[in-house]
Every structure is written in C-alpha cells, then in structure tokens.
Amino acid sequence: MKTQNNCPVMGHEIEDISTAPSSEYKGTTYYFCCENCKTSFDENPADFIGSNGGHHHHHH
C-alpha cells in the first residue's frame, strides 16, 4: 500500500506522518500538513477526495 505523503487539502508534502494531524474517512487514514487542513477536511471530506481530484486551497 502506498503511503500518503501529500496533504489532500493543500497538496503540501508531509515530512513526518507520525507527527502530522490525521483523520479517518471511509476506512482510509488521511494525513495533513497542519491542523487547519484537518479541520477543513473533517467538515467535508468529499470536497477533497472527490473524483475531480482538485485541491481547495486555504491560507494559513
């Protein structure tokens, strides 16, 4: 299984998934570059992993 190494929200590379914020959705664990990305994802995961594959950017 491939390890996720990019934030599904911002697309940034995650340097250390062992310390990164994470959420589980439909049996898959997603890792984030920051807590804000995790919050955005938790509010509507389908926005970030939908079939369009696009990223929804936010500002830190």
Side-chain angles (χ1 to χ4, degrees), residues 14-23 30-35:
I14 298 166
E15 294 182 16
D16 185 0
I17 64 168
S18 68
T19 59
S22 64
S23 289
Y30 295 89
Y31 298 94
F32 306 94
C33 62
C34 67
E35 196 63 41

Side-chain angles (χ1 to χ4, degrees), residues 33-45:
C33 62
C34 67
E35 196 63 41
N36 288 339
C37 285
K38 177 188 180 328
T39 299
S40 294
F41 181 89
D42 287 345
E43 288 173 357
N44 196 351

Side-chain angles (χ1 to χ4, degrees), residues 8-10 37 40 46-49 52 54-58:
V9 178
M10 293 293 287
C37 285
S40 294
D47 276 357
F48 303 103
I49 59 168
N52 65 1
H55 292 108
H56 295 253
H57 297 282
H58 73 259

